[in-house]
Amino acid sequence: MATSWLAVDPGCSFTLQNLPYGVFSHSAGQPRIGTAIGSNILDLAVLQSKGLFQGPHLRQSDCFSQTTLNAFMALGRPAWTEARARIQALLRADEPALRDNEELRKAALISQSKAIMHLPANIPDYTDFYASREHATTCGTILRGKENALMPNWLHIPIAYHGRSSSIVVSGTPVRRPRGQLNPDSNAQPHTAACKWLDFELEMAAFIGGPPNALGQPVSTAEAADRLFGLVLMNDWSARDIQKWEGQPLGPFTAKNWATSISPWVVTFDALQPFRCEAPGQEATSPQVQAYLQEPDRHSFNIQLSVEITPLGNTTPTVITRSNFKHLYWTLEQMVAHHSVTGCPMRPGDLLATGTISCDGELGQGSLLEQTMGGKQAVELEGGEKRTFLQDGDTVTMRGWCEAGGVGLGFGSCTGQVVSAHP
C-alpha cells in the first residue's frame, strides 16, 4: 500500500487512499477547494496555479480556483479519476515535486485546525429518499400497525420527497428548534408552538456530477454510476410532532425544511471501490422491479455508521446507533434512475439523500422515533439522563468509516447542537 511523505496518524480518516474534497477558508480569505490528507488540507487552487494539473481533462480548466466544487463535479468521471491520480502521485513518498519544494509546500498545506469549512457545493436541488426497508417497516408499524407496515408501492419504487436546499448547513452549525403548527392528538384544535418531538435521522447523501441530462432524457442505472461524484454524512433533522399533523396526504414539508446538516468532506466513489459489497434485498420473493430499475452491476458499499448524543454540560457522548450503508434496499443508481425516469434533469451539485439508514439488531435504529417506538420508551444516556426526543443543548454527532484488507478511510463527522426555539 502506497504511503505519503506527509505524516498521517494511524487511524486517521483522511489517508492517501481517501483524499476527499472540500471547501475551506482561512485568514479571512474567500472559500477555496482542497483535499484532506492527515490533519492537513492540500490547497488545490495553489497546485493548479503552479501548473501541476496537466492531464488532458484538467489542463484547460480552472475548476480548482472556484469557491465551490460544482465546476469540478461538472467535468465528469474522466476528470475526477485524473485529478485523484495526480493528487495521489504528488503526495506519494517517492514523488519529489511537492515534497522537496519548501516554498510550494508552505503555500499549499494548511492545518485543518486553522481552517473554516463550508458547504462543498452550491446545491441546486435536494431530494431525500426512503431507501431502508428496516426504517420504513418500523415507521410503518408505529403509524399503521405491523400488518400494514410497508405501503403497497414501497417494494416497487424508491420513495422520496423534494427537500429544501436553502436550509442545508455544514457540520458544526447550531440547529435551532423549529416552531410550527401542531395537533398531537389530530382531533383537537391545532396551535403553533415550539417542536417537542425533535429527532435526528442518520443518513448519507450523494452529490451528482457530470453534464446535466437534457429535459425529457432519463438516466439509466448503467449510466448513473458516472453521475455519482461522492458521499457525505447527513443528519436530516426532523420535527416529528409537526410531521405527524402535516404529513398526510402529501408527506414532509415544514417538519423537514428547517435544517439538514452534512459533513464537509466529500468522499469520492473512486476511493470507495475497495469497500464494494453485495446490495441486499430484492430477492426472488420480492416483487420484480421495472426494467428501468434493474441493474447490470448491483452493489453497495460497506460503510459503518454511528450516532452519538452528548447532553449539554456532559463531556461523555453516548453511542445510540450503529448501522451500515450496505443495508439499504434501494441503491444509489436506482435512485438516480427513478428520479430521472420522467426526464427530470440532474445537475452538478444536486444532492440525493438515502433516507434514514437502519438495520436489524441492537442499536440498529437510525432515529429516536424508531428507538423509542414513537416516544413510548426512553433511551438512557451516559450519566443517567433519558431521552425520548432531543432536548435543547444536545449535540448529535454522526460518524462513518470503512475498513477492508488493511485499507481504511473515514468521512469525519457530522455534528450539530440543538439550540432553543425563537420565542
Side-chain angles (χ1 to χ4, degrees):
M1 184 171 64
T3 58
S4 175
W5 51 263
L6 190 64
V8 178
D9 291 337
C12 177
S13 292
F14 306 126
T15 61
L16 186 63
Q17 288 69 42
N18 190 350
L19 301 180
Y21 295 101
V23 173
F24 71 100
S25 62
H26 64 101
S27 303
Q30 71 171 8
R32 305 172 68 83
I33 294 174
T35 189
I37 176 69
S39 60
N40 294 287
I41 299 172
L42 183 64
D43 190 330
L44 300 184
V46 170
L47 301 189
Q48 192 164 57
S49 71
K50 299 298 182 181
L52 292 177
F53 292 104
Q54 288 298 312
H57 301 287
L58 292 174
R59 69 165 65 101
Q60 300 298 325
S61 175
D62 65 348
C63 59
F64 293 134
S65 67
Q66 307 300 310
T67 58
T68 69
L69 283 164
N70 293 71
F72 179 50
M73 291 176 176
L75 292 178
R77 184 159 302 284
W80 309 339
T81 302
E82 180 181 297
R84 174 176 168 79
R86 180 57 173 152
I87 296 167
Q88 277 189 321
L90 288 168
L91 289 169
R92 278 203 314 262
D94 58 355
E95 172 55 57
L98 186 56
R99 182 194 67 194
D100 296 347
N101 188 329
E102 183 177 1
E103 182 180 357
L104 182 57
R105 280 204 326 273
K106 287 183 177 180
L109 285 171
I110 298 95
S111 171
Q112 290 191 39
S113 64
K114 297 180 180 179
I116 299 170
M117 299 306 298
H118 304 274
L119 286 176
N122 173 36
I123 302 172
D125 280 301
Y126 155 50
T127 302
D128 199 0
F129 283 85
Y130 192 45
S132 164
R133 185 170 185 170
E134 292 81 3
H135 173 65
T137 300
T138 302
C139 290
T141 300
I142 294 170
L143 294 172
R144 295 179 297 274
K146 190 173 183 179
E147 296 74 16
N148 299 303
L150 281 182
M151 297 295 282
N153 61 356
W154 198 93
L155 293 171
H156 293 271
I157 56 175
I159 302 295
Y161 73 90
H162 192 77
R164 184 71 180 172
S165 60
S166 64
S167 55
I168 297 176
V169 297
V170 73
S171 172
T173 305
V175 172
R176 187 171 295 281
R177 182 181 296 272
R179 295 174 61 85
Q181 190 175 131
L182 310 174
N183 190 350
D185 299 323
S186 299
N187 57 9
Q189 183 66 27
H191 62 285
T192 301
C195 160
K196 295 181 176 62
W197 300 354
L198 186 62
D199 203 356
F200 67 85
E201 291 195 60
L202 170 62
E203 306 193 17
M204 299 196 78
F207 276 104
I208 295 295
N213 53 304
L215 180 66
Q217 179 63 51
V219 179
S220 70
T221 55
E223 295 167 331
D226 285 335
R227 303 301 306 278
L228 294 168
F229 176 75
L231 278 172
V232 292
L233 301 168
M234 172 179 281
N235 185 348
D236 178 30
W237 302 93
S238 297
R240 299 297 190 187
D241 41 3
I242 297 174
Q243 184 178 2
K244 180 181 179 182
W245 174 234
E246 74 175 6
Q248 304 296 331
L250 292 182
F253 181 34
T254 63
K256 300 274 194 174
N257 72 354
W258 51 279
T260 303
S261 301
I262 65 172
S263 53
W265 293 107
V266 186
V267 176
T268 66
F269 285 96
D270 283 339
L272 289 172
Q273 291 310 302
F275 313 103
R276 282 169 61 110
C277 61
E278 184 179 352
Q282 300 178 11
E283 307 89 348
T285 55
S286 301
Q288 183 175 7
V289 298
Q290 295 290 300
Y292 76 92
L293 288 171
Q294 294 172 12
E295 299 175 271
D297 179 26
R298 181 172 166 79
H299 66 276
S300 187
F301 296 96
N302 185 1
I303 305 171
Q304 300 178 62
L305 301 166
S306 70
V307 182
E308 305 166 1
I309 294 179
T310 308
L312 185 66
N314 190 333
T315 59
T316 305
T318 302
V319 176
I320 64 167
T321 298
R322 294 192 185 279
S323 189
N324 196 302
F325 181 88
K326 69 182 182 180
H327 295 298
L328 290 173
Y329 184 88
W330 295 103
T331 68
L332 292 168
E333 287 82 0
Q334 288 175 312
M335 295 178 208
V336 173
H338 184 62
H339 201 310
S340 66
V341 68
T342 53
C344 172
M346 310 297 291
R347 295 175 291 182
D350 281 354
L351 196 64
L352 303 188
T354 60
T356 302
I357 305 173
S358 298
C359 64
D360 292 331
E362 186 180 6
L363 302 185
Q365 299 78 28
S367 67
L368 283 172
L369 178 72
E370 297 165 85
Q371 291 203 10
T372 67
M373 290 304 292
K376 295 176 182 177
Q377 53 194 45
V379 173
E380 186 167 342
L381 307 180
E382 297 288 341
E385 291 191 50
K386 294 184 178 181
R387 294 288 185 274
T388 51
F389 292 103
L390 297 171
Q391 295 185 9
D392 292 349
D394 285 349
T395 296
V396 178
T397 301
M398 298 176 175
R399 305 185 193 278
W401 65 98
C402 306
E403 299 175 39
V407 177
L409 61 79
F411 288 76
S413 63
C414 179
T415 299
Q417 184 179 40
V418 179
V419 298
S420 59
H422 282 298

